[in-house]
Every structure is written in C-alpha cells, then in structure tokens.
Amino acid sequence: MTGAKRIVPIDIRLGTEEDLDELEQLYGSLNDHLSNTTNYPGWIRGVYPIRETARSGVLEGCLYVALDKGVIAGSVILRHKPEPAYQKAKWQADLRDEDILVIYTLAVHPDYLSMGIGRGLIDFAVQNACCSNVKALRLDVYENNLPAIRLYEKCGFQYIDTVDLGLSEYGLDWFRLYERLL
C-alpha cells in the first residue's frame, strides 16, 4: 500500500477464553515488532504483556477485543482498579475507584498499526465509561512512549503527573498519568 493510510472499520466485543491463543500471538507479534523497531512502551516479550495478562482480563470480564473481519486487530483492558502509585497524584476530580475506568494494555497488532485501531479502542472506552456512569478515564503511559502520548492527548486526555510504578528493573522509571473527565 502506498500513500494514504487505510482506516479499518472494527467491531469491539468482550474477550473470551477462546480468544486467549490469538491474544497471546498478538502480544508476541507486537513485542517482536517493538524489539525490531522503536520500543516506545518498553514492553518485553515474555514479561509484559503475556497470555496471563489477557487471561486475567478475560476472567475479570474487562478485556475487549477489536476485530477486523473476525481477526483480533487490537485489545484493551478497562478496570476500575488503579495502580497504587495513582494515589499520589492530584487528579482533576476526587473520585472513588468505582467512578473511574483505568485503561490498561492497549495493544494493536503490528499489521494494523496506524489504521485507527488504537483510536477506535479509546473511543470505545469513552463510550463504555459513559454508558456505565463512570466519571473519568485514567491511564499511565511510559514517559518515552511518544506515539501513545500524542494519541491520548488528541483524544482529550489531560496530563496529571509523572510517577514511578516500580518498574525500574526493566528500565522503565517514569510514567505519565492522564485523565479524561466525562
């Protein structure tokens, strides 16, 4: 394909245990791609994200998959439970965990990068949150993950603070916190 980027129309649904093999392959393909290009999120094959990441999300009923003609093109986990380091931040609104959704593990298969899948998953998260009477979406992003930071800011997320999530053993010292009030 040359020239313009192709935008893929996607269907998003709750992930199931039957999706775990394909999600594991997506995570592996993405981590291989990142290790061969610029690893903006700092993800590591065999460390994060892994099959257990998807399995936990499926069992909790909070992992969603984006499908292109039946193929998983991306996924996201939406939980009410923030990381402990979030407690240190001065958020725009003082909310209980049940009043927020935290975006975790937003992953797009390398074959679908720059085709609107990430944006579609964020738009879905906003819609899901609004339908659930959630008052804010929150997330953390590795400070060097510039493509994700640009996407989140374009989608209306406001920078809140930079925190240590305790991942320095992997070379990931600082994470930027973002929030979008609904």
Side-chain angles (χ1 to χ4, degrees):
M1 180 180 353
T2 59
K5 294 178 186 176
R6 180 172 77 104
I7 302 299
V8 175
I10 55 172
D11 295 313
I12 299 176
R13 66 162 169 78
L14 201 55
T16 67
E17 290 194 48
E18 289 75 31
D19 296 323
L20 291 178
D21 289 343
E22 195 173 350
L23 286 163
E24 182 177 33
Q25 289 173 359
L26 182 155
Y27 294 160
S29 295
L30 181 55
N31 277 319
D32 289 346
H33 172 79
L34 292 169
S35 70
N36 291 324
T37 58
T38 302
N39 190 350
Y40 289 107
W43 289 356
I44 302 168
R45 191 186 236 301
V47 176
Y48 185 85
I50 57 174
R51 182 184 185 92
E52 186 55 36
T53 308
R55 186 175 177 280
S56 294
V58 166
L59 292 176
E60 291 175 40
C62 63
L63 181 141
Y64 296 87
V65 293
L67 301 166
D68 173 36
K69 300 176 187 150
V71 174
I72 297 177
S75 67
V76 67
I77 295 173
L78 304 174
R79 304 196 154 96
H80 290 285
K81 185 174 171 46
E83 294 295 317
Y86 283 34
Q87 301 305 319
K88 300 172 186 171
K90 176 91 171 101
W91 298 97
Q92 297 173 87
D94 185 23
L95 301 170
R96 300 169 302 163
D97 289 354
E98 57 267 22
D99 292 327
I100 64 168
L101 270 181
V102 181
I103 296 175
Y104 287 100
T105 322
L106 177 66
V108 176
H109 192 285
D111 294 345
Y112 290 91
L113 293 175
S114 299
M115 293 186 186
I117 304 298
R119 176 65 187 246
L121 286 164
I122 291 173
D123 291 346
F124 171 80
V126 170
Q127 181 182 18
N128 180 293
C130 289
C131 291
S132 303
N133 295 318
V134 166
K135 295 176 177 49
L137 283 166
R138 293 179 180 168
L139 61 88
D140 60 76
V141 57
Y142 177 52
E143 67 178 344
N144 292 336
N145 192 348
L146 302 179
I149 289 169
R150 280 192 297 272
L151 176 62
Y152 297 137
E153 289 177 351
K154 192 185 316 182
C155 290
F157 284 81
Q158 301 296 313
Y159 169 75
I160 300 299
D161 199 358
T162 300
V163 297
D164 178 357
L165 294 180
L167 298 172
S168 59
E169 68 183 281
Y170 301 109
L172 306 171
D173 294 323
W174 299 106
F175 288 78
R176 294 171 59 104
L177 300 179
Y178 282 86
E179 180 176 50
R180 177 169 168 180
L181 295 178
L182 304 171

